[in-house]
Amino acid sequence: MPCHLRSAFRADLYAFVNRDGNSNTDGYYEVRSLYFDSPNWICLNEKLTGETRRFKLRIRAYIRGGRPVAPCKLEVKWRDGERVCKTGCVMNEKAFTSLRSGTEWTERLNTHSKLPSPGLASFQYLRQRFSMRPVINVQYRREALIPKLERDCRITLDEDLCAWRARYLDDGTGHRQSLIPRSYSVLEIKCGTHVPFWLDRLVRKYRLRRQTLSKYAIAVLQCYPGPASCDEWGVLE
């Protein structure tokens, strides 16, 4: 969404929504996600070839003072056609502080996660089955909006998207690449059974068109020239 639409769209939207309670005083919060992929880039290639059934592995955290803070979430994001769902678990403070660097931390998650969960089992199975390793951090500022009446709807606006090669969540040494022009935002509308009437009217008013955008795919293609090359994997060893 370009900036000339963003301000007007927000002004209309604020009549129907409240900001997420996790937001900072400026109405935003920062998110960083560490994505995993296999040596032959299975997640990236399934996205680029349009596989209807695919998955991604990531660790997600909020950013405070420029660094990720606990708790962090391990997530498996599944897509089956138009249906998207997430499974995962929450890492506690001990896990985050003691297992933040290298790859061995994944072997010890069972002793540090808050609760045993099917999401953790799925994450570990996929990671081991496809030899998944961390490859890139993606970070952005997010404004999250919750409709005042509808409970199964969420609207987010993401800005300042950037990415860099990384081996762990707190790895900030890589060269950061901007993923979209700073004058643009990524608008996501997530609804359950239906789109509220007022939201449908706003989408029509501003002539918004649905587009597919993968932060992960864009990040890898910008930060890893020729990502299909197994030679690139050597930077993570």
Side-chain angles (χ1 to χ4, degrees):
M1 172 179 284
C3 59
H4 70 275
L5 286 181
R6 186 170 59 208
S7 297
F9 179 78
R10 275 187 175 133
D12 285 345
L13 191 61
Y14 286 163
F16 303 96
V17 301
N18 294 316
R19 280 176 166 152
D20 189 312
N22 292 316
S23 301
N24 297 324
T25 54
D26 63 356
Y28 291 82
Y29 56 84
E30 282 191 282
V31 178
R32 183 181 298 174
S33 293
L34 175 66
Y35 284 90
F36 288 60
D37 214 328
S38 68
N40 63 346
W41 300 92
I42 183 173
C43 296
L44 174 66
N45 288 324
E46 287 186 347
K47 166 61 182 175
L48 296 180
T49 57
E51 293 291 330
T52 56
R53 301 185 70 182
R54 57 184 187 267
F55 69 92
K56 291 190 185 81
L57 297 188
R58 67 189 180 195
I59 306 174
R60 174 164 290 192
Y62 295 125
I63 303 299
R64 297 284 188 271
R67 300 190 66 187
V69 296
C72 298
K73 295 180 181 178
L74 258 75
E75 293 183 341
V76 183
K77 186 176 181 179
W78 307 88
R79 175 177 286 276
D80 188 353
E82 294 297 311
R83 183 171 177 267
V84 178
C85 66
K86 299 175 187 176
T87 59
C89 70
V90 177
M91 290 165 47
N92 62 21
E93 182 75 30
K94 185 177 181 181
F96 180 69
T97 55
S98 66
L99 305 174
R100 66 174 57 193
S101 63
T103 56
E104 65 174 328
W105 58 266
T106 49
E107 304 296 345
R108 299 169 56 194
L109 281 173
N110 286 314
T111 62
H112 289 297
S113 60
K114 286 187 174 180
L115 293 171
S117 70
L120 175 59
S122 296
F123 186 99
Q124 291 286 60
Y125 170 78
L126 291 169
R127 186 189 65 82
Q128 295 169 2
R129 169 68 177 80
F130 297 103
S131 301
M132 307 282 281
R133 300 181 186 183
V135 293
I136 202 162
N137 273 327
V138 177
Q139 185 169 311
Y140 49 89
R141 295 176 68 242
R142 166 165 285 184
E143 181 180 22
L145 305 168
I146 312 297
K148 297 176 181 178
L149 299 178
E150 289 78 13
R151 298 295 182 183
D152 61 346
C153 185
R154 181 179 173 86
I155 302 159
T156 58
L157 285 156
D158 297 339
E159 303 175 3
D160 301 336
L161 277 73
C162 64
W164 62 98
R165 297 185 185 193
R167 292 178 291 180
Y168 48 96
L169 194 64
D170 202 19
D171 185 347
T173 60
H175 174 65
R176 301 195 178 196
Q177 298 271 5
S178 179
L179 301 186
I180 63 172
R182 294 182 65 88
S183 58
Y184 278 74
S185 298
V186 177
L187 169 68
E188 291 186 61
I189 298 173
K190 304 171 186 177
C191 295
T193 56
H194 71 286
V195 177
F197 173 77
W198 54 267
L199 184 54
D200 180 68
R201 291 294 297 269
L202 289 181
V203 169
R204 294 175 183 273
K205 175 181 177 179
Y206 290 96
R207 300 180 181 179
L208 303 180
R209 293 181 295 116
R210 183 177 179 180
Q211 292 182 308
T212 300
L213 184 147
S214 169
K215 297 184 183 79
Y216 172 68
I218 295 173
V220 170
L221 293 176
Q222 289 207 30
C223 296
Y224 285 88
S229 170
C230 292
D231 293 339
E232 288 290 340
W233 198 255
V235 301
L236 300 176
E237 297 297 343

